[in-house]
Amino acid sequence: MKDVWKLPAIAKWEKSCGKHPTQKPLSILTRIILASTKPGAWILDPFAGSSTTSIAANLTNRRFLGIDMETEFLEISKKRKLEIENEATSNRYKQKINGFNATNELKLFLESEFFESYSNELPF
C-alpha cells in the first residue's frame, strides 16, 4: 500500500439509501480499515452518520459498533445494513470499490487475509 492514496469522490450508488451531508467515500474508509485492522477486529464509530464505516467494516470482515444521535441518519444506516446483507449486493459493492491497482485486488487481499487468519488453526 502506498503512502499517497488517489481515491475517487463519493459515487451515486453509495447514496442509494439516502444522503448524509458529510458522507465519506467507501473507498477511503475501506483503505483505512484494511491499513489499520485485522479480520474480525472491532471498529467503533461514535458519530456513525449514514454508516459508511460500517459498510466498509462489513465488506472487509470486521465487526462494527456505531453510535449516532440523529434518528434520520440511523434510519439510513439500517437501510444500508439491510442492503449489504444481500450477498449479491455485497459482492457488487466490493467490485465497485476503487483505489486498488486492479479490479480484483480487494477480493484477492480479503481472500489472503482469510487464509492467513485461519491457517494457524489448520492441523497441517
Side-chain angles (χ1 to χ4, degrees):
M1 204 175 286
K2 298 178 180 180
D3 58 355
V4 175
W5 299 343
K6 294 181 181 179
L7 300 169
I10 190 165
K12 287 185 181 184
W13 61 268
E14 295 182 61
K15 296 181 181 184
S16 63
C17 295
K19 296 179 181 180
H20 186 277
T22 62
Q23 188 170 339
K24 313 300 181 283
L26 186 56
S27 296
I28 291 175
L29 292 165
T30 300
R31 289 293 290 264
I32 291 169
I33 288 169
L34 291 175
S36 60
T37 64
K38 295 182 186 247
W42 276 99
I43 297 168
L44 170 65
D45 186 351
F47 307 99
S50 61
S51 289
T52 303
T53 305
S54 168
I55 302 304
N58 279 275
L59 294 176
T60 58
N61 305 314
R62 275 65 172 173
R63 295 179 281 182
F64 177 80
L65 175 62
I67 303 166
D68 206 287
M69 293 177 23
E70 300 293 330
T71 306
E72 174 187 358
F73 302 137
L74 292 172
E75 290 302 319
I76 293 171
S77 295
K78 286 182 200 176
K79 289 177 190 175
R80 293 184 83 193
K81 173 65 172 143
L82 289 172
E83 186 177 59
I84 65 157
E85 285 179 353
N86 177 300
E87 188 175 348
T89 303
S90 177
N91 289 333
R92 190 172 66 248
Y93 275 27
K94 287 177 187 174
Q95 291 173 348
K96 288 184 172 188
I97 295 173
N98 292 320
F100 295 91
N101 295 326
T103 55
N104 66 342
E105 189 173 8
L106 174 60
K107 180 180 182 246
L108 294 172
F109 182 81
L110 293 173
E111 287 172 357
S112 70
E113 268 193 344
F114 178 81
F115 180 75
E116 287 175 21
S117 294
Y118 292 101
S119 64
N120 295 336
E121 297 175 16
L122 297 174
F124 49 90

